[in-house]
Amino acid sequence: MSRLSVVLPAYNEELMAAKTCRVLKEVLDGAGIAYELVLVDDGSKDNTWNEIVKAGKRDPNILGVHFSRNFGKEAAVFAGLAQSTGDVVAVMDCDLQHPPETLIEMYHLWEEGYEIIEGVKTSRGKESALHKKSADFFYGIMSKVTKVDMQNASDFKMMDRKAVNSILSMPERNMFFRATSSWVGYKTAYVNFEVREREAGESKWSTWSLIKYAFTNIVAFTTMPLQIITVVGSVCFLCSLVLIIYSLVQYFRGFAVAGYTTTLIVLLLIGSAIMVSLGIIGYYISKIYEEVKRRPRYIVSKIIRGSEDAYDQANHD
């Protein structure tokens, strides 16, 4: 019988971890689907790990993975994929904002032969106008890069084992899971879902962390910012040529070239463009440096399978 693994990254989810496990058990048992729940504690500062351990004692199908510190959601997702053993693997949030019932529809599509089933948001829930505009801009860029419409993409998806293995075989340390699952290809289906309101706890994403997350993933997945630098440099060069020609014409006509303010503005503009360009290039260099060092994406300190301690010495990737 085929088995479904559900990967659940968790950071400070002590209020939701136990309920999520209980709800998923009810939904999957009710549908007659063999399952395992892979909960990855991303270095939580609260009692999330203790709640995972308690849940494991109640349900032998729970696999708990505990990081030595906080490594980020992307690392938690990849750790869950690496530890999962199912024939098909789903990834969803641990706060039940992704509706568990949608897993049944996804599973049936997988049984029909689809190898990746993408969850597509019909709405983004309660978000500020600024947040929505920023998300639209970010996913617009990622859609152009991946050649796949990611405007309403999410981490909520289901993948056949061979798709999971393809993703895990990629050697880079900095990886954007949401786009990578589209990039690997395979036969894909789409399922619409509506984002639910968080039942307990609070969002772990501040405006600054979202901006940082977006820029990191753009750099990890595309060289577009470097191409923008080239375009900006070319525009500045053309503007400089126009100003040089204008200045020479005025000089030979016997007119003094006035415009100290204009010169100052141009110098400040070019200087700012250079500094921003160097910052973008420096960020790419820093990511190259991280890749070259080959440090693991994450370090696992504990693993439990059901009620048993299953710590593995090969605990990092």
Side-chain angles (χ1 to χ4, degrees):
M1 183 178 181
S2 299
R3 191 182 194 197
L4 167 65
S5 295
V6 182
V7 174
L8 299 148
Y11 179 68
N12 292 346
E13 294 288 358
E14 64 176 348
L15 299 177
M16 288 300 299
K19 181 174 182 179
T20 298
C21 291
R22 185 172 66 254
V23 170
L24 285 172
K25 175 179 173 58
E26 292 173 358
V27 169
L28 296 174
D29 279 344
I33 298 175
Y35 70 92
E36 71 169 349
L37 306 181
V38 184
L39 286 90
V40 183
D41 179 11
D42 184 21
S44 299
K45 295 181 174 63
D46 60 6
N47 289 317
T48 298
W49 179 246
N50 291 333
E51 291 299 321
I52 293 173
V53 172
K54 290 178 184 177
K57 292 178 180 179
R58 293 189 293 268
D59 186 353
N61 295 312
I62 289 178
L63 170 65
V65 180
H66 185 268
F67 281 176
S68 61
R69 65 170 177 82
N70 177 249
F71 284 92
K73 183 179 180 180
E74 299 293 305
V77 169
F78 282 96
L81 294 179
Q83 293 292 338
S84 66
T85 59
D87 304 289
V88 58
V89 183
V91 177
M92 63 183 293
D93 289 346
C94 193
D95 52 16
L96 291 181
Q97 288 190 287
H98 295 157
E101 297 79 11
T102 307
L103 290 173
I104 309 303
E105 183 180 355
M106 290 178 164
Y107 187 81
H108 290 324
L109 285 170
W110 173 73
E111 289 182 317
E112 292 175 14
Y114 290 98
E115 294 156 317
I116 294 181
I117 300 92
E118 298 276 358
V120 179
K121 300 175 183 176
T122 56
S123 69
R124 301 190 61 87
K126 292 183 179 180
E127 293 179 343
S128 66
L130 176 61
H131 191 158
K132 289 182 179 179
K133 291 293 183 183
S134 300
D136 289 342
F137 176 73
F138 169 64
Y139 288 116
I141 292 176
M142 298 308 297
S143 295
K144 291 179 181 178
V145 172
T146 59
K147 310 300 182 186
V148 176
D149 184 9
M150 296 193 64
Q151 208 63 44
N152 294 307
S154 71
D155 287 330
F156 188 28
K157 59 194 67 191
M158 189 175 289
M159 299 170 291
D160 185 82
R161 171 54 58 182
K162 63 182 177 182
V164 172
N165 290 340
S166 294
I167 293 173
L168 292 175
S169 69
M170 298 180 184
E172 59 260 40
R173 304 292 93 182
N174 296 289
M175 192 179 292
F176 182 28
F177 170 69
R178 195 172 299 184
T180 302
S181 62
S182 300
W183 182 86
V184 295
Y186 293 106
K187 187 178 180 181
T188 303
Y190 300 89
V191 173
N192 294 326
F193 74 94
E194 186 171 346
V195 178
R196 295 177 176 175
E197 293 302 316
R198 173 182 280 273
E199 295 185 24
E202 57 185 19
S203 174
K204 312 306 182 297
W205 296 96
S206 64
T207 300
W208 170 245
S209 64
L210 286 170
I211 292 172
K212 184 179 178 182
Y213 176 74
F215 191 72
T216 298
N217 289 320
I218 289 172
V219 169
F221 207 83
T222 176
T223 59
M224 185 176 289
L226 294 176
Q227 296 167 10
I228 293 174
I229 291 175
T230 303
V231 172
V232 172
S234 300
V235 171
C236 289
F237 177 70
L238 291 174
C239 292
S240 299
L241 283 179
V242 172
L243 287 173
I244 290 171
I245 294 171
Y246 172 75
S247 300
L248 289 174
V249 169
Q250 290 294 85
Y251 175 79
F252 286 116
R253 289 178 61 189
F255 296 103
V257 180
Y260 172 78
T261 303
T262 303
T263 303
L264 183 61
I265 291 173
V266 170
L267 287 174
L268 289 173
L269 179 63
I270 293 175
S272 299
I274 290 173
M275 294 304 293
V276 171
S277 301
L278 287 174
I280 293 174
I281 294 170
Y283 197 81
Y284 271 94
I285 292 174
S286 71
K287 293 302 175 185
I288 293 171
Y289 177 61
E290 291 177 8
E291 293 288 341
V292 169
K293 286 193 295 186
R294 304 296 296 168
R295 286 184 179 176
R297 289 192 187 111
Y298 53 83
I299 298 175
V300 175
S301 62
K302 299 175 185 176
I303 296 178
I304 58 111
R305 297 182 188 274
S307 59
E308 298 180 1
D309 186 355
Y311 179 80
D312 185 357
Q313 291 298 326
N315 58 16
H316 57 75
D317 182 24

